[in-house]
């Protein structure tokens, strides 16, 4: 049985959560590093990781790892890889990558070298001087960090955060993977009342519904490796059948509110695309004035914040209003993500715990407030 070293890159700060998720899926030799998690497995692991992973960005198959101090090192390292074991004669193999803290710092030059080495290797194996690249896609990805190159094949295609339900988003949306991470940090499993008071396009409440019903986030989309000749179609079919068998069917109390009626319309549409519209109530409301929807529960939210001065001041006023209005929400666990370094000051309360995360390249904290024990 074929065994691969696989890698899931993720947003900075989510590595531990992704590692835990892979262990729950029964993956072997899980190893957590900065912005990526490694594990081992065969074709079944590739299919299951793509379907079930909520917080990773993609599933990559590691082809090689070697030191590079010159373009010749890079060329020879890639050319030594048995690419023909995975890429057929007509396979398309575009190249993407990055280089950090390394002697080879020109990414376009590195891309060209990797492409040339792959063309020379495959051309020599198939006995042709020109490769048509008219078949299925085998995306090559490289990363060069501190003069060490890793070469991967991307099994996912589109990033895993693209679940297929968010055709339209509003300003500064939270990635689906980050939204799932916040719901996971809140330990929400469908038992409590769940409320996002700034639901926007609905990403957090949709991810909460998917987690409550234990639905695989990749169930409604396809993956690049589904078209590869080396992975039997039955592997993907079995993984999808497993996903369907693991779903729960219960009644959940999930509420998304927003002051903007246009956002509510987008959120309703996205929830329908995700197949969870019956599980979520959406309501137009001002989170700083409305009555609490239940005596206790879980609040998970991404309140608006601004990077420009006037927007930032508006966000700070919002945080003050939130803190004042939610002062009496003593029985609610609150998980609030913000890039405002003085959030606790404006909110008027020190968080019980906080965790640093990155929403894309923007450094944020998740501020966690728990009911006081008397």
């Amino acid at each position: 049985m074929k065994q691969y070293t696989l890698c899931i890159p993720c947003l900075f700060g989510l590595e531990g959560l992704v590692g835990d998720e892979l262990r729950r899926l029964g993956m072997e030799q899980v190893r957590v590093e900065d912005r990526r998690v490694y594990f081992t497995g065969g074709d079944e692991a590739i299919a299951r990781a793509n379907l079930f992973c909520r917080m990773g960005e993609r599933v990559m198959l590691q082809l090689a790892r070697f030191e590079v101090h010159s373009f010749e090192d890079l060329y020879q390292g890639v050319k030594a890889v048995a690419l023909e074991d995975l890429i057929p004669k007509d396979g398309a193999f575009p190249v993407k990558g990055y280089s950090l803290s390394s002697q080879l710092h020109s990414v376009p030059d590195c891309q060209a070298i990797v492409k040339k080495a792959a063309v020379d290797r495959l051309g020599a194996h198939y006995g042709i001087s020109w490769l048509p690249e008219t078949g299925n896609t085998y995306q090559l990805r490289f990363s060069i960090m501190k003069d060490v190159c890793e070469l991967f094949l991307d099994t996912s295609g589109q990033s895993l955060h693209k679940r297929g339900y968010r055709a339209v988003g509003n300003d500064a949306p939270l990635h689906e993977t980050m939204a799932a991470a916040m719901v996971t940090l809140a330990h929400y499993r469908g038992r409590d009342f769940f409320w996002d008071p700034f639901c926007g396009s609905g990403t957090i409440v949709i991810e909460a519904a998917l987690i409550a019903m234990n639905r695989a986030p990749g169930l409604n989309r396809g993956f690049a490796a589904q078209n590869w000749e080396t992975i039997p179609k039955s592997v993907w079919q079995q993984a999808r059948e497993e996903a369907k068998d693991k779903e729960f069917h219960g009644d959940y109390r999930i509420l998304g509110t927003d002051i903007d009626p246009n956002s509510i319309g987008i959120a309703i549409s996205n929830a329908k695309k995700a197949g969870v519209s019956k599980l979520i109530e959406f309501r137009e409301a001002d989170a700083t004035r409305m009555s609490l929807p239940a005596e206790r529960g879980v609040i998970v939210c991404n309140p608006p914040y601004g990077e420009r001065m006037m927007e930032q001041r508006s966000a700070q006023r919002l945080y003050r209003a939130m803190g004042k209005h939610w002062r009496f929400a003593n029985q609610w666990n609150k998980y609030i993500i913000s890039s405002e370094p003085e959030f606790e000051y404006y909110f008027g309360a020190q968080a019980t715990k906080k965790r640093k995360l990155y929403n894309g390249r923007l450094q944020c904290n998740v501020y966690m407030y728990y009911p006081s024990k008397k």
Side-chain angles (χ1 to χ4, degrees), residues 137-258:
T137 300
Y138 296 76
Q139 175 74 63
L140 286 170
R141 292 184 179 271
F142 68 87
S143 69
I144 303 175
M145 283 280 292
K146 297 180 180 177
D147 297 325
V148 173
C149 176
E150 288 184 274
L151 185 67
F152 302 95
L153 266 186
D154 181 354
T155 74
S156 300
Q158 279 196 321
S159 174
L160 295 182
H161 79 260
K162 296 185 178 179
R163 320 281 207 223
Y165 65 74
R166 197 171 69 183
V168 180
N170 56 358
D171 292 339
L174 203 66
H175 265 194
E176 291 86 335
T177 45
M178 179 63 80
M182 290 189 65
V183 176
T184 301
L185 284 172
H187 303 288
Y188 175 71
R189 295 293 182 271
R191 297 184 182 89
D192 307 305
F193 194 110
F194 187 97
W195 177 31
D196 178 1
F198 305 96
C199 72
S201 57
T203 309
I204 290 176
V205 286
I206 291 171
E207 291 298 319
L210 293 174
I211 286 173
M213 66 187 300
N214 202 36
R215 173 170 289 175
L219 198 58
N220 294 330
R221 55 159 286 176
F223 306 96
Q226 282 181 246
N227 301 314
W228 293 1
E229 297 175 5
T230 53
I231 301 180
K233 302 294 184 187
S234 59
V235 169
W236 295 95
Q237 184 178 344
Q238 289 166 9
R240 290 184 184 277
E241 288 173 358
E242 177 193 354
K244 291 174 183 176
D245 289 343
K246 285 186 172 181
E247 281 192 14
F248 304 143
H249 301 280
D251 295 320
Y252 308 106
R253 297 172 298 164
I254 303 174
L255 174 65
T257 63
D258 201 283

Side-chain angles (χ1 to χ4, degrees), residues 3-291:
Q3 287 287 109
Y4 308 109
T5 296
L6 301 166
C7 174
I8 295 184
C10 58
L11 294 172
F12 190 79
L14 301 189
E15 304 92 342
L17 294 174
V18 174
D20 290 343
E21 182 175 48
L22 290 171
R23 293 183 188 98
R24 287 195 297 271
L25 288 171
M27 301 301 178
E28 298 178 352
Q29 298 182 38
V30 176
R31 188 174 84 252
V32 174
E33 295 189 4
D34 281 350
R35 294 191 299 177
R36 56 179 61 181
V37 182
Y38 294 86
F39 61 106
T40 60
D43 294 341
E44 180 189 88
I46 291 173
R48 294 180 72 244
N50 272 297
L51 272 167
F52 288 100
C53 189
R54 296 186 190 279
M55 294 169 282
E57 292 301 313
R58 59 184 69 252
V59 180
M60 304 192 302
L61 188 161
Q62 187 187 63
L63 299 172
R65 187 176 190 274
F66 51 91
E67 289 191 14
V68 287
H69 301 284
S70 65
F71 287 127
E72 181 65 18
D73 290 342
L74 181 60
Y75 174 83
Q76 294 298 338
V78 174
K79 193 179 178 185
V81 179
L83 298 173
E84 64 276 4
D85 290 348
L86 292 162
I87 303 176
K89 184 189 292 188
D90 67 343
F93 51 99
V95 176
K96 291 182 181 179
Y98 64 88
S99 178
L100 296 171
S101 305
S102 298
Q103 295 178 58
L104 304 184
H105 51 79
S106 171
V107 173
D109 287 340
C110 291
Q111 283 179 298
I113 295 294
V114 171
K115 184 70 177 185
K116 176 172 170 49
V119 167
D120 290 351
R121 171 80 193 206
L122 291 169
H125 177 81
Y126 292 118
I128 51 178
S129 58
W130 181 79
L131 294 161
E133 296 197 55
T134 55
N136 294 319
T137 300
Y138 296 76
Q139 175 74 63
L140 286 170
R141 292 184 179 271
F142 68 87
S143 69
I144 303 175
M145 283 280 292
K146 297 180 180 177
D147 297 325
V148 173
C149 176
E150 288 184 274
L151 185 67
F152 302 95
L153 266 186
D154 181 354
T155 74
S156 300
Q158 279 196 321
S159 174
L160 295 182
H161 79 260
K162 296 185 178 179
R163 320 281 207 223
Y165 65 74
R166 197 171 69 183
V168 180
N170 56 358
D171 292 339
L174 203 66
H175 265 194
E176 291 86 335
T177 45
M178 179 63 80
M182 290 189 65
V183 176
T184 301
L185 284 172
H187 303 288
Y188 175 71
R189 295 293 182 271
R191 297 184 182 89
D192 307 305
F193 194 110
F194 187 97
W195 177 31
D196 178 1
F198 305 96
C199 72
S201 57
T203 309
I204 290 176
V205 286
I206 291 171
E207 291 298 319
L210 293 174
I211 286 173
M213 66 187 300
N214 202 36
R215 173 170 289 175
L219 198 58
N220 294 330
R221 55 159 286 176
F223 306 96
Q226 282 181 246
N227 301 314
W228 293 1
E229 297 175 5
T230 53
I231 301 180
K233 302 294 184 187
S234 59
V235 169
W236 295 95
Q237 184 178 344
Q238 289 166 9
R240 290 184 184 277
E241 288 173 358
E242 177 193 354
K244 291 174 183 176
D245 289 343
K246 285 186 172 181
E247 281 192 14
F248 304 143
H249 301 280
D251 295 320
Y252 308 106
R253 297 172 298 164
I254 303 174
L255 174 65
T257 63
D258 201 283
I259 199 170
D260 177 17
N262 291 327
S263 292
I264 292 295
I266 293 170
I268 291 171
S269 175
N270 289 343
K272 286 178 180 176
K273 291 189 184 79
V276 296
S277 58
K278 293 181 180 178
L279 305 180
I280 307 170
E281 177 190 356
F282 289 103
R283 193 188 306 168
E284 183 184 340
D286 182 344
T288 64
R289 294 174 181 266
M290 66 176 283
S291 300

